Amino acid sequence: MDIVVKGRKTEVPDRFRKHVAEKLNPERIQKLDAKVISLDVEVSKEHNPRQADRSDRVEITLRSRGPVIRAEASAPDAYAALDLAQDKLEARLRKQHDKRHTRRGSGRLSAAEVADVVPNAATLNGNGEPVGDEKTDAIPTTRIGSLEVQGEGPLVVREKTHSAAPMSLDQALYEMELVGHDFYLFVDSDTKMPSVVYRRHGYDYGVIHLNASDAASSSGELDGAGAGGALGG
């Protein structure tokens, strides 16, 4: 099992790299998931003095032949953040391990790699248009991927394409819990539709399905209506 430690806009001391190798014991992790291929540990630092109590952030990503499992935590120093992130990772590993043994022989298929969450999004007005999107000749336009950005932003765009094996709604909820996110994009094995499941209030969940065929057949009547909107609805 490979352990890769990297810093995001910060230097990672050799002492901390050595500590990570000792802390994330491969034998202990492989007892919970024997198919582990690698562990990626990313360290970042928040320089805002108002956030001194969570200035150091550690994110651990476990990659295996099964689902990707991710855990992250923030603390006043990287060592404390690593301890918290490790506890979260092992809790999710135990959950996956227990479920695998409980459902052994059920024929459940493992899911494909989980897509990363885009960290930032553009702010929209009441008409669904980007705020500050006034079109004037004085504002320079920059093309980022398939988007045209006017001015200097700020706008962070990260575009990725992932392979996705169809899965049930139950499996999508399980995968979402493993990575600790509030929503999860998947292809529904029953409807064959692109879908997203999301966390609502308390322990409730919601699910949105996209039916491209219906949208295409009625595009003339919708007059620009789409599937956008708040997930919490």
Side-chain angles (χ1 to χ4, degrees):
M1 182 182 74
D2 297 328
I3 300 178
V4 179
V5 183
K6 59 184 178 181
R8 185 179 181 185
K9 297 182 180 180
T10 187
E11 293 292 330
V12 180
D14 291 339
R15 178 170 171 241
F16 183 78
R17 293 178 186 273
K18 183 178 178 180
H19 179 72
V20 169
E22 295 173 350
K23 187 74 175 176
L24 301 178
N25 188 303
E27 293 182 1
R28 183 175 176 179
I29 292 175
Q30 287 174 334
K31 285 182 180 179
L32 296 173
D33 189 344
K35 298 180 180 180
V36 176
I37 298 173
S38 66
L39 280 174
D40 295 336
V41 180
E42 183 179 272
V43 183
S44 58
K45 193 170 185 68
E46 172 58 59
H47 298 284
N48 187 343
R50 296 181 179 180
Q51 299 184 12
D53 59 335
R54 49 192 178 94
S55 61
D56 288 77
R57 177 175 171 273
V58 173
E59 179 181 290
I60 308 173
T61 302
L62 182 148
R63 304 185 187 278
S64 70
R65 291 191 290 275
V68 172
I69 301 178
R70 183 176 291 110
E72 59 186 67
S74 298
D77 63 79
Y79 293 89
L82 177 64
D83 290 343
L84 294 173
Q86 182 197 20
D87 290 343
K88 290 182 180 180
L89 180 72
E90 292 188 357
R92 289 167 186 167
L93 272 173
R94 282 191 293 270
K95 181 177 180 180
Q96 182 196 36
H97 178 269
D98 294 342
K99 185 169 184 177
R100 185 190 305 119
H101 284 269
T102 301
R103 300 194 175 188
R104 177 171 291 176
S106 64
R108 178 177 294 276
L109 299 175
S110 61
E113 184 181 19
V114 179
D116 292 333
V117 175
V118 177
N120 298 303
T123 303
L124 305 180
N125 60 22
N127 298 322
E129 299 172 344
V131 174
D133 194 30
E134 298 83 0
K135 296 182 179 180
T136 64
D137 295 336
I139 301 177
T141 300
T142 304
R143 190 168 187 84
I144 303 177
S146 58
L147 298 179
E148 287 188 356
V149 181
Q150 291 187 333
E152 297 181 355
L155 177 64
V156 178
V157 176
R158 181 165 56 181
E159 184 176 348
K160 290 188 177 183
T161 301
H162 293 265
S163 300
M167 67 178 70
S168 66
L169 174 59
D170 179 62
Q171 181 68 13
L173 284 168
Y174 171 58
E175 301 273 344
M176 182 180 73
E177 294 293 342
L178 284 181
V179 295
H181 291 157
D182 291 328
F183 68 90
Y184 186 81
L185 182 65
F186 69 105
V187 177
D188 194 298
S189 58
D190 294 328
T191 64
K192 310 303 180 187
M193 295 179 185
S195 307
V196 61
V197 64
Y198 60 94
R199 193 188 312 277
R200 300 181 76 246
H201 304 293
Y203 295 97
D204 294 337
Y205 298 94
V207 61
I208 297 173
H209 301 288
L210 295 182
N211 192 331
S213 59
D214 284 355
S217 62
S218 58
S219 58
E221 301 175 3
L222 293 177
D223 192 25
L231 286 179

mmCIF file of all heavy atoms in Angstrom, residues 59-62 67-72 92 113-117 172-184 199:
data_model
loop_
_atom_site.group_PDB
_atom_site.id
_atom_site.type_symbol
_atom_site.label_atom_id
_atom_site.label_comp_id
_atom_site.label_asym_id
_atom_site.label_seq_id
_atom_site.Cartn_x
_atom_site.Cartn_y
_atom_site.Cartn_z
ATOM 1 N N GLU A 59 -6.586 16.052 4.809
ATOM 2 C CA GLU A 59 -7.572 15.238 4.082
ATOM 3 C C GLU A 59 -6.920 13.920 3.680
ATOM 4 O O GLU A 59 -5.848 13.909 3.081
ATOM 5 C CB GLU A 59 -8.061 15.970 2.833
ATOM 6 C CG GLU A 59 -9.060 15.163 2.018
ATOM 7 C CD GLU A 59 -9.524 15.903 0.771
ATOM 8 O OE1 GLU A 59 -10.248 16.899 0.917
ATOM 9 O OE2 GLU A 59 -9.129 15.487 -0.349
ATOM 10 N N ILE A 60 -7.547 12.814 4.037
ATOM 11 C CA ILE A 60 -7.044 11.480 3.698
ATOM 12 C C ILE A 60 -7.997 10.849 2.688
ATOM 13 O O ILE A 60 -9.197 10.782 2.922
ATOM 14 C CB ILE A 60 -6.937 10.573 4.941
ATOM 15 C CG1 ILE A 60 -6.135 11.255 6.050
ATOM 16 C CG2 ILE A 60 -6.316 9.231 4.578
ATOM 17 C CD1 ILE A 60 -6.126 10.477 7.367
ATOM 18 N N THR A 61 -7.453 10.395 1.574
ATOM 19 C CA THR A 61 -8.251 9.726 0.542
ATOM 20 C C THR A 61 -7.730 8.310 0.365
ATOM 21 O O THR A 61 -6.555 8.112 0.047
ATOM 22 C CB THR A 61 -8.168 10.474 -0.798
ATOM 23 O OG1 THR A 61 -8.612 11.823 -0.605
ATOM 24 C CG2 THR A 61 -9.051 9.804 -1.842
ATOM 25 N N LEU A 62 -8.602 7.343 0.600
ATOM 26 C CA LEU A 62 -8.238 5.931 0.465
ATOM 27 C C LEU A 62 -8.775 5.413 -0.857
ATOM 28 O O LEU A 62 -9.972 5.518 -1.129
ATOM 29 C CB LEU A 62 -8.811 5.125 1.632
ATOM 30 C CG LEU A 62 -8.487 3.620 1.674
ATOM 31 C CD1 LEU A 62 -8.401 3.141 3.118
ATOM 32 C CD2 LEU A 62 -9.557 2.806 0.941
ATOM 33 N N PRO A 67 -15.145 1.291 -3.367
ATOM 34 C CA PRO A 67 -15.435 2.728 -3.341
ATOM 35 C C PRO A 67 -14.278 3.539 -2.772
ATOM 36 O O PRO A 67 -13.506 3.054 -1.945
ATOM 37 C CB PRO A 67 -16.667 2.823 -2.422
ATOM 38 C CG PRO A 67 -17.203 1.435 -2.329
ATOM 39 C CD PRO A 67 -16.055 0.515 -2.517
ATOM 40 N N VAL A 68 -14.154 4.786 -3.223
ATOM 41 C CA VAL A 68 -13.192 5.716 -2.638
ATOM 42 C C VAL A 68 -13.736 6.182 -1.295
ATOM 43 O O VAL A 68 -14.913 6.488 -1.161
ATOM 44 C CB VAL A 68 -12.972 6.928 -3.561
ATOM 45 C CG1 VAL A 68 -12.117 7.981 -2.872
ATOM 46 C CG2 VAL A 68 -12.311 6.481 -4.862
ATOM 47 N N ILE A 69 -12.880 6.213 -0.281
ATOM 48 C CA ILE A 69 -13.283 6.670 1.052
ATOM 49 C C ILE A 69 -12.419 7.876 1.408
ATOM 50 O O ILE A 69 -11.190 7.836 1.276
ATOM 51 C CB ILE A 69 -13.121 5.557 2.105
ATOM 52 C CG1 ILE A 69 -13.966 4.339 1.713
ATOM 53 C CG2 ILE A 69 -13.520 6.062 3.486
ATOM 54 C CD1 ILE A 69 -13.825 3.174 2.660
ATOM 55 N N ARG A 70 -13.066 8.949 1.870
ATOM 56 C CA ARG A 70 -12.340 10.183 2.163
ATOM 57 C C ARG A 70 -12.728 10.679 3.547
ATOM 58 O O ARG A 70 -13.886 10.574 3.949
ATOM 59 C CB ARG A 70 -12.659 11.232 1.103
ATOM 60 C CG ARG A 70 -11.891 12.536 1.271
ATOM 61 C CD ARG A 70 -12.185 13.517 0.133
ATOM 62 N NE ARG A 70 -11.607 13.034 -1.118
ATOM 63 C CZ ARG A 70 -12.312 12.589 -2.147
ATOM 64 N NH1 ARG A 70 -13.623 12.524 -2.071
ATOM 65 N NH2 ARG A 70 -11.717 12.189 -3.258
ATOM 66 N N ALA A 71 -11.744 11.237 4.262
ATOM 67 C CA ALA A 71 -11.996 11.830 5.575
ATOM 68 C C ALA A 71 -11.119 13.065 5.711
ATOM 69 O O ALA A 71 -9.971 13.066 5.273
ATOM 70 C CB ALA A 71 -11.682 10.830 6.686
ATOM 71 N N GLU A 72 -11.676 14.112 6.297
ATOM 72 C CA GLU A 72 -10.914 15.341 6.476
ATOM 73 C C GLU A 72 -11.234 15.951 7.833
ATOM 74 O O GLU A 72 -12.300 15.715 8.409
ATOM 75 C CB GLU A 72 -11.232 16.335 5.367
ATOM 76 C CG GLU A 72 -12.703 16.719 5.281
ATOM 77 C CD GLU A 72 -12.988 17.591 4.072
ATOM 78 O OE1 GLU A 72 -12.866 17.109 2.944
ATOM 79 O OE2 GLU A 72 -13.348 18.762 4.297
ATOM 80 N N ARG A 92 -15.369 5.013 8.957
ATOM 81 C CA ARG A 92 -16.005 4.714 7.675
ATOM 82 C C ARG A 92 -15.532 3.381 7.118
ATOM 83 O O ARG A 92 -16.301 2.655 6.473
ATOM 84 C CB ARG A 92 -15.727 5.852 6.690
ATOM 85 C CG ARG A 92 -16.498 7.116 7.055
ATOM 86 C CD ARG A 92 -16.046 8.352 6.321
ATOM 87 N NE ARG A 92 -16.757 9.519 6.847
ATOM 88 C CZ ARG A 92 -16.427 10.773 6.600
ATOM 89 N NH1 ARG A 92 -15.369 11.037 5.830
ATOM 90 N NH2 ARG A 92 -17.125 11.772 7.100
ATOM 91 N N GLU A 113 -15.458 5.152 -9.177
ATOM 92 C CA GLU A 113 -14.803 6.190 -8.392
ATOM 93 C C GLU A 113 -15.748 7.353 -8.153
ATOM 94 O O GLU A 113 -16.523 7.758 -9.011
ATOM 95 C CB GLU A 113 -13.560 6.668 -9.138
ATOM 96 C CG GLU A 113 -12.737 7.682 -8.365
ATOM 97 C CD GLU A 113 -11.534 8.150 -9.147
ATOM 98 O OE1 GLU A 113 -11.537 7.975 -10.375
ATOM 99 O OE2 GLU A 113 -10.620 8.697 -8.524
ATOM 100 N N VAL A 114 -15.678 7.896 -6.922
ATOM 101 C CA VAL A 114 -16.553 9.002 -6.554
ATOM 102 C C VAL A 114 -16.005 10.307 -7.103
ATOM 103 O O VAL A 114 -14.824 10.588 -6.997
ATOM 104 C CB VAL A 114 -16.673 9.094 -5.013
ATOM 105 C CG1 VAL A 114 -17.559 10.263 -4.623
ATOM 106 C CG2 VAL A 114 -17.210 7.795 -4.449
ATOM 107 N N ALA A 115 -16.886 11.079 -7.690
ATOM 108 C CA ALA A 115 -16.460 12.368 -8.245
ATOM 109 C C ALA A 115 -16.157 13.352 -7.126
ATOM 110 O O ALA A 115 -16.809 13.364 -6.098
ATOM 111 C CB ALA A 115 -17.547 12.917 -9.159
ATOM 112 N N ASP A 116 -15.120 14.197 -7.328
ATOM 113 C CA ASP A 116 -14.779 15.226 -6.348
ATOM 114 C C ASP A 116 -15.804 16.348 -6.379
ATOM 115 O O ASP A 116 -16.358 16.671 -7.417
ATOM 116 C CB ASP A 116 -13.392 15.827 -6.641
ATOM 117 C CG ASP A 116 -12.303 14.812 -6.396
ATOM 118 O OD1 ASP A 116 -12.511 13.909 -5.576
ATOM 119 O OD2 ASP A 116 -11.251 14.950 -7.031
ATOM 120 N N VAL A 117 -16.026 16.937 -5.224
ATOM 121 C CA VAL A 117 -16.978 18.043 -5.145
ATOM 122 C C VAL A 117 -16.287 19.337 -5.556
ATOM 123 O O VAL A 117 -15.191 19.639 -5.103
ATOM 124 C CB VAL A 117 -17.516 18.192 -3.706
ATOM 125 C CG1 VAL A 117 -18.403 19.417 -3.601
ATOM 126 C CG2 VAL A 117 -18.289 16.956 -3.311
ATOM 127 N N ALA A 172 -26.122 4.322 -3.475
ATOM 128 C CA ALA A 172 -25.682 5.712 -3.611
ATOM 129 C C ALA A 172 -25.657 6.413 -2.252
ATOM 130 O O ALA A 172 -24.728 7.165 -1.945
ATOM 131 C CB ALA A 172 -26.599 6.455 -4.581
ATOM 132 N N LEU A 173 -26.673 6.153 -1.410
ATOM 133 C CA LEU A 173 -26.679 6.716 -0.061
ATOM 134 C C LEU A 173 -25.482 6.219 0.738
ATOM 135 O O LEU A 173 -24.820 6.974 1.458
ATOM 136 C CB LEU A 173 -27.973 6.326 0.658
ATOM 137 C CG LEU A 173 -29.246 7.075 0.244
ATOM 138 C CD1 LEU A 173 -30.473 6.382 0.811
ATOM 139 C CD2 LEU A 173 -29.186 8.517 0.736
ATOM 140 N N TYR A 174 -25.186 4.940 0.593
ATOM 141 C CA TYR A 174 -24.063 4.335 1.305
ATOM 142 C C TYR A 174 -22.741 4.952 0.848
ATOM 143 O O TYR A 174 -21.879 5.287 1.661
ATOM 144 C CB TYR A 174 -24.096 2.827 1.041
ATOM 145 C CG TYR A 174 -22.892 2.068 1.531
ATOM 146 C CD1 TYR A 174 -22.517 2.089 2.868
ATOM 147 C CD2 TYR A 174 -22.126 1.309 0.643
ATOM 148 C CE1 TYR A 174 -21.416 1.384 3.310
ATOM 149 C CE2 TYR A 174 -21.028 0.599 1.078
ATOM 150 C CZ TYR A 174 -20.669 0.641 2.409
ATOM 151 O OH TYR A 174 -19.580 -0.056 2.835
ATOM 152 N N GLU A 175 -22.582 5.125 -0.473
ATOM 153 C CA GLU A 175 -21.352 5.713 -1.014
ATOM 154 C C GLU A 175 -21.201 7.165 -0.538
ATOM 155 O O GLU A 175 -20.093 7.624 -0.231
ATOM 156 C CB GLU A 175 -21.394 5.676 -2.546
ATOM 157 C CG GLU A 175 -21.546 4.297 -3.147
ATOM 158 C CD GLU A 175 -20.223 3.595 -3.345
ATOM 159 O OE1 GLU A 175 -19.190 4.272 -3.307
ATOM 160 O OE2 GLU A 175 -20.237 2.371 -3.549
ATOM 161 N N MET A 176 -22.314 7.905 -0.472
ATOM 162 C CA MET A 176 -22.257 9.290 -0.014
ATOM 163 C C MET A 176 -21.760 9.365 1.430
ATOM 164 O O MET A 176 -20.947 10.226 1.781
ATOM 165 C CB MET A 176 -23.643 9.943 -0.134
ATOM 166 C CG MET A 176 -23.672 11.409 0.277
ATOM 167 S SD MET A 176 -25.303 12.180 0.140
ATOM 168 C CE MET A 176 -26.142 11.416 1.538
ATOM 169 N N GLU A 177 -22.227 8.445 2.267
ATOM 170 C CA GLU A 177 -21.790 8.428 3.661
ATOM 171 C C GLU A 177 -20.305 8.092 3.767
ATOM 172 O O GLU A 177 -19.600 8.613 4.636
ATOM 173 C CB GLU A 177 -22.620 7.407 4.455
ATOM 174 C CG GLU A 177 -24.093 7.761 4.598
ATOM 175 C CD GLU A 177 -24.312 8.999 5.445
ATOM 176 O OE1 GLU A 177 -23.393 9.387 6.191
ATOM 177 O OE2 GLU A 177 -25.400 9.594 5.346
ATOM 178 N N LEU A 178 -19.813 7.234 2.874
ATOM 179 C CA LEU A 178 -18.404 6.837 2.941
ATOM 180 C C LEU A 178 -17.465 8.008 2.681
ATOM 181 O O LEU A 178 -16.385 8.084 3.260
ATOM 182 C CB LEU A 178 -18.117 5.715 1.928
ATOM 183 C CG LEU A 178 -18.609 4.311 2.288
ATOM 184 C CD1 LEU A 178 -18.223 3.328 1.194
ATOM 185 C CD2 LEU A 178 -18.051 3.854 3.621
ATOM 186 N N VAL A 179 -17.839 8.917 1.783
ATOM 187 C CA VAL A 179 -16.960 10.042 1.472
ATOM 188 C C VAL A 179 -17.281 11.281 2.303
ATOM 189 O O VAL A 179 -16.587 12.290 2.213
ATOM 190 C CB VAL A 179 -17.023 10.398 -0.031
ATOM 191 C CG1 VAL A 179 -16.469 9.270 -0.868
ATOM 192 C CG2 VAL A 179 -18.442 10.716 -0.475
ATOM 193 N N GLY A 180 -18.368 11.221 3.105
ATOM 194 C CA GLY A 180 -18.674 12.324 4.004
ATOM 195 C C GLY A 180 -19.192 13.573 3.319
ATOM 196 O O GLY A 180 -19.016 14.678 3.821
ATOM 197 N N HIS A 181 -19.826 13.414 2.143
ATOM 198 C CA HIS A 181 -20.354 14.570 1.431
ATOM 199 C C HIS A 181 -21.856 14.726 1.676
ATOM 200 O O HIS A 181 -22.519 13.819 2.187
ATOM 201 C CB HIS A 181 -20.101 14.414 -0.076
ATOM 202 C CG HIS A 181 -18.654 14.518 -0.433
ATOM 203 N ND1 HIS A 181 -18.125 13.981 -1.585
ATOM 204 C CD2 HIS A 181 -17.611 15.090 0.219
ATOM 205 C CE1 HIS A 181 -16.829 14.218 -1.632
ATOM 206 N NE2 HIS A 181 -16.499 14.888 -0.549
ATOM 207 N N ASP A 182 -22.393 15.894 1.290
ATOM 208 C CA ASP A 182 -23.815 16.156 1.471
ATOM 209 C C ASP A 182 -24.637 15.780 0.248
ATOM 210 O O ASP A 182 -25.860 15.843 0.282
ATOM 211 C CB ASP A 182 -24.049 17.637 1.797
ATOM 212 C CG ASP A 182 -23.515 17.999 3.175
ATOM 213 O OD1 ASP A 182 -23.546 17.124 4.060
ATOM 214 O OD2 ASP A 182 -23.062 19.134 3.363
ATOM 215 N N PHE A 183 -23.988 15.436 -0.857
ATOM 216 C CA PHE A 183 -24.718 14.950 -2.023
ATOM 217 C C PHE A 183 -23.834 14.007 -2.823
ATOM 218 O O PHE A 183 -22.618 13.967 -2.642
ATOM 219 C CB PHE A 183 -25.214 16.111 -2.903
ATOM 220 C CG PHE A 183 -24.117 16.877 -3.596
ATOM 221 C CD1 PHE A 183 -23.680 16.504 -4.859
ATOM 222 C CD2 PHE A 183 -23.528 17.974 -2.992
ATOM 223 C CE1 PHE A 183 -22.680 17.210 -5.505
ATOM 224 C CE2 PHE A 183 -22.529 18.690 -3.621
ATOM 225 C CZ PHE A 183 -22.105 18.301 -4.886
ATOM 226 N N TYR A 184 -24.458 13.232 -3.700
ATOM 227 C CA TYR A 184 -23.723 12.202 -4.440
ATOM 228 C C TYR A 184 -24.375 12.005 -5.813
ATOM 229 O O TYR A 184 -25.576 11.766 -5.912
ATOM 230 C CB TYR A 184 -23.747 10.890 -3.655
ATOM 231 C CG TYR A 184 -22.894 9.807 -4.262
ATOM 232 C CD1 TYR A 184 -21.531 9.786 -4.051
ATOM 233 C CD2 TYR A 184 -23.461 8.798 -5.036
ATOM 234 C CE1 TYR A 184 -20.738 8.793 -4.602
ATOM 235 C CE2 TYR A 184 -22.675 7.811 -5.597
ATOM 236 C CZ TYR A 184 -21.316 7.809 -5.371
ATOM 237 O OH TYR A 184 -20.535 6.838 -5.917
ATOM 238 N N ARG A 199 -28.462 15.199 1.236
ATOM 239 C CA ARG A 199 -28.878 15.195 2.640
ATOM 240 C C ARG A 199 -29.801 16.384 2.908
ATOM 241 O O ARG A 199 -29.510 17.511 2.527
ATOM 242 C CB ARG A 199 -27.648 15.285 3.534
ATOM 243 C CG ARG A 199 -27.918 14.984 4.994
ATOM 244 C CD ARG A 199 -26.685 15.296 5.825
ATOM 245 N NE ARG A 199 -25.487 14.725 5.252
ATOM 246 C CZ ARG A 199 -25.100 13.468 5.428
ATOM 247 N NH1 ARG A 199 -25.841 12.667 6.172
ATOM 248 N NH2 ARG A 199 -23.997 13.015 4.876
#
